[in-house]
Amino acid sequence: MLFSIDEDAGTRIVGWIMPDNPSSTPHVAVFTGGQMRKVVRATVLRPLLREQGLHETGICGFVVDQHAVADLQDMADLELYDEATNIRIYRRRPPTAKADLKLFRLETRVVPQSALNEPFQDLFHMAFTRLERMPEEAVRSILGIAFSPSIFCAGRLYFRTYEPLLRDRGFKCSVLVRDPFEELAEQLLALRWAVKTPNLAYSVLSETYRPLVESLGKADLTEMADLEIWLGALTPFERSLLASPLARLLTCRSSDENLEAAAVEQALQTLADMDVVGHFNAVETYWDTLRAVLEIDLPPLPALTFSKQVGELEARVREWPAAQDLIAADVQIFADLGEAIRRADEVTDEAAVEPAPA
């Protein structure tokens, strides 16, 4: 699904949506105050979409005006959604949206730390999270939005797939790197939960993890220690789904791509090219650096949630040889990043105490 907004003139909003199904006609759902007010059918011909073979009829353009919604010009909190995908394609800029820049935050966690996204929702005109749950074409359309200079995006994406587009569109890129043993412990608990509640599992996990859920469902998990046995018995394909997820996000282009021998070096270079990189052991410093680099008035760091169960399993996972081997690349990346941040702090401290020249 691709989309664009041509104009919002107050009494009318004009744009287009190209649906995934080239024979279908798109519909726009108009919301205000969180309530749907109207569904508007596309009626405008966009010849180029038909001529380029992207849509059978080219009827992809829509107009939301006062005939459809009588008090349109007075709706400060108006939002438009593609009815078929429920993806928000437009909202009127809120008064709190003071940031005139584009920011992408690479999410590294299977269970997102959504509190980190909350402060950006109202600081930016357009905000999109959980991009990994959207089709690739929709993600590219979002990153390519031309109607606003104020965009915040976050998602657990394969960064190299989208890096050229992010750079071309002027995004600043950021990531907060988590302890890989903590991440593996959380993944294992999420998979265990998925086995018990399969109807809810894929609201959190992507379909990529289905083979692991099925494999774990056949294992004897009477004790937490049985997870170590299961890890050691994974097939090469199953291992690839859990192996060093941070290195994969930073160096691969899809879940089908294998890690290269030089993955650690490549991942560290990718991190070096980002605008703001944080270490979860120094999250306050990460937040302060974001504030300084973005030059926006960020609120205080939001309260982050930590699971006691994850912490308890993490302590065990650290001792498992199967786990150590599985995430060896991520462990090295995390250690090297921590050392780089420590050295940078030393340089900053030395500069702060160095006497001024006479």
Side-chain angles (χ1 to χ4, degrees), residues 9 26 29 34 39 47 76 91-92 104 125 128 142 162 167-168 178 188 192 203 220 244 294 300 309 317 341:
V39 175
R91 74 167 175 175
R92 284 186 166 156
F104 171 72
H125 176 193
F128 301 87
I142 288 167
Y162 298 97
R167 298 304 183 192
D168 180 68
R178 186 187 196 188
L188 291 174
R192 196 164 176 260
S203 64
D220 179 8
S244 293
L294 300 180
Q309 192 176 15
V317 169
I341 291 175

Side-chain angles (χ1 to χ4, degrees), residues 310-344:
V310 170
E312 291 173 348
L313 181 56
E314 175 200 348
R316 294 188 180 192
V317 169
R318 286 184 181 277
E319 304 302 321
W320 296 349
Q324 296 165 4
D325 179 61
L326 190 67
I327 57 173
D330 279 8
V331 171
Q332 188 62 55
I333 293 167
F334 191 70
D336 288 351
L337 177 61
E339 178 63 16
I341 291 175
R342 185 189 66 77
R343 290 179 181 177

Side-chain angles (χ1 to χ4, degrees), residues 11 17 30 37 41 53 106 119 155 171 226 241 244 254 261 289 348:
T11 57
I17 298 173
V30 182
R37 290 285 302 274
R41 185 175 185 269
L106 177 64
F171 277 84
D226 294 330
L241 300 179
S244 293
S254 73
T289 306
T348 302

Side-chain angles (χ1 to χ4, degrees), residues 190-191 194-195 198 201-202 205 209-218 230:
L191 291 169
V195 171
Y202 298 101
L205 297 175
Y209 287 90
R210 188 174 291 277
L212 290 172
V213 175
E214 293 173 352
S215 172
L216 192 59
K218 301 172 185 175
W230 176 74

Side-chain angles (χ1 to χ4, degrees), residues 147-217:
F147 58 79
S148 177
S150 177
I151 305 170
F152 168 70
C153 296
R156 195 172 187 266
L157 302 177
Y158 288 94
F159 185 70
R160 291 185 68 184
T161 299
Y162 298 97
E163 184 178 16
L165 179 57
L166 287 164
R167 298 304 183 192
D168 180 68
R169 297 307 172 119
F171 277 84
K172 291 187 180 297
C173 297
S174 172
V175 65
L176 179 61
V177 179
R178 186 187 196 188
D179 186 311
F181 286 106
E182 183 181 356
E183 177 59 29
L184 179 58
E186 186 166 87
Q187 288 191 53
L188 291 174
L189 289 174
L191 291 169
R192 196 164 176 260
W193 167 75
V195 171
K196 297 178 180 179
T197 56
N199 292 336
L200 297 175
Y202 298 101
S203 64
V204 176
L205 297 175
S206 71
E207 285 290 327
T208 302
Y209 287 90
R210 188 174 291 277
L212 290 172
V213 175
E214 293 173 352
S215 172
L216 192 59

Side-chain angles (χ1 to χ4, degrees), residues 182-321:
E182 183 181 356
E183 177 59 29
L184 179 58
E186 186 166 87
Q187 288 191 53
L188 291 174
L189 289 174
L191 291 169
R192 196 164 176 260
W193 167 75
V195 171
K196 297 178 180 179
T197 56
N199 292 336
L200 297 175
Y202 298 101
S203 64
V204 176
L205 297 175
S206 71
E207 285 290 327
T208 302
Y209 287 90
R210 188 174 291 277
L212 290 172
V213 175
E214 293 173 352
S215 172
L216 192 59
K218 301 172 185 175
D220 179 8
L221 297 178
T222 307
E223 304 290 341
M224 277 293 188
D226 294 330
L227 282 170
E228 180 183 11
I229 299 172
W230 176 74
L231 276 182
L234 292 177
T235 68
F237 171 69
E238 291 166 348
R239 281 178 57 84
S240 72
L241 300 179
L242 282 175
S244 293
L246 176 62
R248 293 180 59 79
L249 289 174
L250 292 172
T251 67
C252 297
R253 291 179 172 83
S254 73
S255 60
D256 298 327
E257 190 173 332
N258 294 322
L259 281 177
E260 297 183 8
V264 171
E265 291 78 6
Q266 293 173 1
L268 290 171
Q269 184 57 57
T270 299
L271 291 173
D273 291 338
M274 286 190 173
D275 298 279
V276 183
V277 176
H279 196 280
F280 218 91
N281 292 348
V283 67
E284 290 279 0
T285 300
Y286 167 72
W287 200 250
D288 291 340
T289 306
L290 265 179
R291 182 183 290 113
V293 170
L294 300 180
E295 298 181 330
I296 57 177
D297 187 19
L298 276 180
L301 177 71
L304 303 181
T305 58
F306 298 92
S307 165
K308 181 181 179 181
Q309 192 176 15
V310 170
E312 291 173 348
L313 181 56
E314 175 200 348
R316 294 188 180 192
V317 169
R318 286 184 181 277
E319 304 302 321
W320 296 349

